[in-house]
Amino acid sequence: MIPTPKDNYDSQVPNPNDFLAVSQGDFLSNFGQLYNAFVRNHIALDAASSAGNHTNVELVQLPVAPHTNVGEISLYSKNVVDQVSQFFLKFQGGNVQGQEVQMTNYQLYFNQIIQPGQFGLFSMLPGGLIIYFGVVFASGTNPVNTLVLHPYITKNLICINLCLSGTTPGISPWVSIVPEASGIIKKLTLHDALPGFAYFYIAIGNT
Amino acid sequence: MSFNPNIPQATSKRVISQRQILSNFVEIFNSFAKNHSPLGNNDLQGKHNVLILRSQTLDPATTATQTALYNKSVATIPNLFYRPNNSQTPIQMSYPSINVGSTLTQQYSFVAGPFVVYMGIVLNPTNGQVVALTPVTTLRYVGVCVRNFVGTVVSSVAATNIAANTFTINFQAQIGSTRDVYYIAIGN
């Protein structure tokens, strides 16, 4: 009797008393399942070349960081509170290098006019850090000029640096944080900015 | 028992081959379950749940249409590397540690290269105060900015004497003024 092909890989075949006609169906089913699973993320087993190489890597979200042995590093995805699933790296275990590093953060958008007189971009640094950078134009007199940190996800401002842009030397402004009831840092006040001048800025916050 | 690619043998009896084949199917299942969603779940099987990379002694070769992610040790510590197509120069993507905890005075992360990116705040420093950053690298860039200035003269600050992992906070002379200093530095 020819067996009905199974829906899933069966690691418990062949049975000792099965005839080859039965086992042959089991073999076909298992090899087919193995082939179909392997072709996901990998170059197919029957490819003319490079069989076994990865084509891409889809990471199914893990609930906790994996164990990582000495000599190894792990790449994986894990959920981050208030964000979507993010990409993580974990160094080898057993010593100080066994550290978990959040490699991605939030979502990236580029070329944004943050407010009139401010052109801003942002990206990320490993460790759940967000890095804002761009140009802000000091249009008014002291201290009405503001710098907006958008998107509004920064809980702590780690640092900021401002540098005058242009052909004339001048003093860079100093800053103070505009308090927000939510605790999220959205805006900084620029003090002693020179009206009519533009400043490059770079700011790093954690989320 | 490990996977045996040399079975079944033409001369083996079926009762022998059955055990060998069964063993191989078990080994395939167990090996595939490492790093992957296991065989048996048609929706997920083949996808990865983690990518654990063993240390490579040599950079892998890449063709015109390939790139490679791999693990290679730097001073005995495994690090993540990326190799562009056509076996171009490998790029180290990680530094072995970060410090992004709750202490805001001195944190660091990294960018590919690898470069260490330091950032933090020095609370009310004195003029000429030296700041030493750890882990130790050679600083290539230091930027500073004043926060919460209290005084009568416009504040200005510069990072001077940048050497190895240290820099000096240099203010305009302002007697009686106070302020904090944000810094960002990059070293390798």
Side-chain angles (χ1 to χ4, degrees), chain A residues 37-140:
Chain A
F38 194 84
V39 79
R40 245 192 195 140
N41 292 192
H42 306 81
I43 292 178
L45 290 166
D46 60 348
S49 63
S50 301
N53 281 1
H54 284 81
T55 50
N56 63 323
V57 177
E58 293 173 280
L59 294 169
V60 180
Q61 183 177 296
L62 289 183
V64 295
H67 177 78
T68 309
N69 290 322
V70 173
E72 296 177 342
I73 52 178
S74 297
L75 304 173
Y76 53 99
S77 76
K78 201 175 71 167
N79 189 54
V80 176
V81 176
D82 296 333
Q83 298 185 31
V84 295
S85 188
Q86 300 290 350
F87 176 53
F88 282 78
L89 178 152
K90 189 177 181 189
F91 291 106
Q92 63 180 351
N95 57 30
V96 71
Q97 278 77 41
Q99 192 171 13
E100 183 181 52
V101 178
Q102 183 182 331
M103 297 292 282
T104 56
N105 191 16
Y106 201 63
Q107 308 292 327
L108 294 180
Y109 301 96
F110 297 103
N111 301 331
Q112 289 196 327
I113 303 297
I114 304 298
Q115 62 172 345
Q118 183 183 349
F119 177 82
L121 308 164
F122 72 96
S123 184
M124 60 206 169
L125 288 174
L129 301 175
I130 184 166
I131 179 167
Y132 303 91
F133 54 100
V135 176
V136 60
F137 184 74
S139 57

Side-chain angles (χ1 to χ4, degrees), chain B residues 125-131 158 160-161 167-171:
Chain B
T126 56
N127 192 21
Q129 183 167 324
V130 175
V131 177
T160 59
N161 301 332
F167 67 90
T168 300
I169 293 174
N170 198 335
F171 290 118

Side-chain angles (χ1 to χ4, degrees), chain A residues 7-9 11 14 18 37 40-42 54 58 60 71-73 75 91 99 126 129 158 160-161 174-175, chain B residues 14 18 25-26 36 40 42-43 45-46 48 51 53-54 71 95 98 109-110 119 141 144-146 148-149:
Chain A
D7 291 333
N8 293 315
Y9 183 91
S11 61
D18 284 347
R40 245 192 195 140
N41 292 192
H42 306 81
H54 284 81
E58 293 173 280
V60 180
E72 296 177 342
I73 52 178
L75 304 173
F91 291 106
Q99 192 171 13
L129 301 175
I158 311 298
I160 184 170
N161 186 220
W174 60 278
V175 300
Chain B
R14 193 166 66 87
Q18 181 269 332
F25 278 133
V26 171
H36 299 82
N42 285 333
D43 291 335
Q45 64 179 8
H48 293 76
L51 204 57
L53 303 171
R54 307 298 300 271
N71 166 2
Y95 182 81
I98 59 171
S109 182
F110 58 81
M119 53 269 176
Y141 168 86
V144 287
C145 179
V146 166
N148 293 348
F149 172 74

